[in-house]
Amino acid sequence: MDLRHLQAIVEIVRHNSFTRAAEALHVTQPTISKMIKNLENELRIEIFARDGKRVKLTDAGEAIVRHAGPILQSFDNLVTEINDLTYLNKGSIRIGLPPMAGSSFFPPVIKSFQERYPGISIRMVEDGARRIEEGIADGSLDVGVVLLPVDETAFESFPIVEDRLKVILHPSHPLAERSRIELAELEGEPFILFNNDFALHERIVRECRAIGFEPRIACESSQWDFIGELAAAGLGVAMLPETICRAIPPSKARTVPLVNPIIPWQLVLAWKRDGYISLAAREWIRFTRDVFASSFSSSASSST
C-alpha cells in the first residue's frame, strides 16, 4: 500500500465513481480499477463491495478511508512545508555576531533581509569571535562573523570589514596629541582589553610579546563601548578598530593610529566547510555577500 492507493480510494468515495476518480487523478478508469484490485490482493481483503454500478465500502474499506484522510493531510502539509522552505517562505538561521560587528554593520542588513524574507526567523547570538568560531564548528551556529585568520580547511568565508586598530587615550595623556603611536611606546601602560572570549584579546597580547614586552592588563570587558569609556576616564589605554573609534567624541578621548606594527581588524562571515547548510542560511550567505560586496565596491570607488 502506498499514497497512490489511498488517494485513489478517497477519490472514488468522494466522486462515488471509478470513472470520475480516474479523471480527477489523471489516469484511465482501467488503471484505477487495477490499482484497487492489486491492493485488495495484497491485503487479502475487499475494499469495495461489488453491487452493480454503486460504489459501496466494505468494513475494511471504511477503516482505510478513516485513516487515509489524516495520512493524506499530513503528506500535503509536508509538501507545503517543503515548498515553503524551498521558496524561502519560512525557516530559521542561527547567526553569531561579535558586539562591535553586530551594532556597527548588521542592523540595516538584517532589516533588509527580513523585509525580503519575513517568514525566516533570525536568532542572533552575541559573543566574542573565538566563541562564535567554536559555535560554527560544533553546529550550534549556522554562520557567524569572526576575525581573520580562520582555518580554511574547516571554514568557508568571505570578507565583510577591513580595518585597523587605533589607540584610545585620555586627552591629558602624554601621547594623546601624537599623530601616530608605536606599540613599543605603550610598554608599561595599563591596558584595557576585551576578555579571553574575543580573538582581539589574544591578537593584541601576541603582538606585544612579539616586540618584547608583556602587556599589563588593568581591566577586561566584553563591551566595546565600556572599554572606550574606561580609556576616556583615564584608567588605561585601549585599542579598538578605527570604525568604532569614530563614535568616540574627541572631547572625551583621543584616538591615534597604531603603527609598527599595524594591527589589522579584518572580519569575515564564516560557515562550516563540510556539513549541511539550510536553504535559509544559504540565502543569508548569498544576500550578505552581495551587500558587503557592494560596500567594498563603493569604498574602492570613493578612494580613487
Side-chain angles (χ1 to χ4, degrees):
M1 180 187 296
D2 59 31
L3 286 172
R4 291 177 304 163
H5 292 121
L6 297 181
Q7 289 169 336
I9 294 168
V10 168
E11 290 299 322
I12 291 167
V13 173
R14 177 179 293 130
H15 294 283
N16 196 35
S17 165
F18 275 69
T19 301
R20 291 180 181 174
E23 291 172 355
L25 294 172
H26 306 290
V27 297
T28 64
Q29 193 274 335
T31 298
I32 202 168
S33 296
K34 185 177 181 181
M35 287 173 61
I36 299 301
K37 186 63 178 175
N38 289 342
L39 180 59
E40 289 177 327
N41 291 337
E42 177 189 338
L43 300 178
R44 298 179 182 179
I45 59 168
E46 285 190 347
I47 298 171
F48 294 100
R50 272 58 179 176
D51 183 14
K53 294 185 178 180
R54 295 175 56 197
V55 175
K56 183 179 179 181
L57 288 167
T58 63
D59 290 344
E62 289 180 353
I64 290 173
V65 170
R66 189 165 58 251
H67 289 281
I71 292 171
L72 292 173
Q73 184 61 56
S74 293
F75 179 73
D76 287 343
N77 291 343
L78 173 61
V79 171
T80 299
E81 185 163 347
I82 289 174
N83 285 336
D84 279 343
L85 291 169
T86 301
Y87 293 102
L88 298 170
N89 294 321
K90 67 186 300 186
S92 62
I93 316 169
R94 301 162 299 173
I95 304 171
L97 292 176
M100 287 189 289
S103 62
S104 302
F105 304 103
F106 276 89
V109 181
I110 293 169
K111 181 176 183 292
S112 297
F113 185 84
Q114 296 216 296
E115 286 174 348
R116 181 174 297 185
Y117 304 109
I120 297 178
S121 64
I122 294 178
R123 175 175 167 256
M124 286 174 286
V125 176
E126 195 175 46
D127 213 332
R130 179 180 294 175
R131 294 287 296 274
I132 289 171
E133 193 169 317
E134 292 171 357
I136 299 169
D138 66 25
S140 59
L141 294 173
D142 296 309
V143 296
V145 174
V146 299
L147 196 65
L148 284 180
V150 295
D151 182 356
E152 294 183 358
T153 64
F155 303 103
E156 291 190 58
S157 65
F158 64 84
I160 291 177
V161 179
E162 293 184 359
D163 208 339
R164 54 183 287 184
L165 298 190
K166 296 183 77 172
V167 183
I168 305 171
L169 314 114
H170 187 272
S172 65
H173 193 283
L175 300 175
E177 299 305 322
R178 296 277 295 277
S179 60
R180 61 184 200 166
I181 296 173
E182 296 190 9
L183 185 59
E185 295 178 275
L186 300 178
E187 182 176 1
E189 295 279 353
F191 277 45
I192 304 168
L193 301 180
F194 280 105
N195 62 38
N196 279 318
D197 292 336
F198 291 76
L200 197 53
H201 174 104
E202 180 58 32
R203 175 72 58 81
I204 293 171
V205 170
R206 186 170 64 246
E207 294 291 351
C208 291
R209 289 171 178 166
I211 63 171
F213 75 92
E214 188 71 23
R216 180 163 68 89
I217 301 173
C219 186
E220 295 179 353
S221 174
S222 62
Q223 303 298 320
W224 68 264
D225 50 350
F226 186 50
I227 290 173
E229 290 288 342
L230 291 174
L235 297 178
V237 299
M239 281 169 270
L240 291 176
E242 184 175 4
T243 304
I244 303 300
C245 289
R246 294 190 194 117
I248 301 174
S251 59
K252 295 183 67 175
R254 300 289 189 267
T255 60
V256 183
L258 177 69
V259 297
N260 197 23
I262 290 173
I263 302 179
W265 188 68
Q266 298 168 297
L267 296 179
V268 297
L269 186 75
W271 61 97
K272 202 171 181 178
R273 183 172 290 277
D274 298 320
Y276 174 72
I277 302 290
S278 71
L279 290 170
R282 274 184 265 168
E283 181 58 18
W284 167 260
I285 292 168
R286 186 205 63 76
F287 185 90
T288 309
R289 190 197 300 268
D290 287 349
V291 169
F292 284 100
S294 299
S295 299
F296 274 110
S297 297
S298 299
S299 300
S301 298
S302 62
S303 63
T304 57

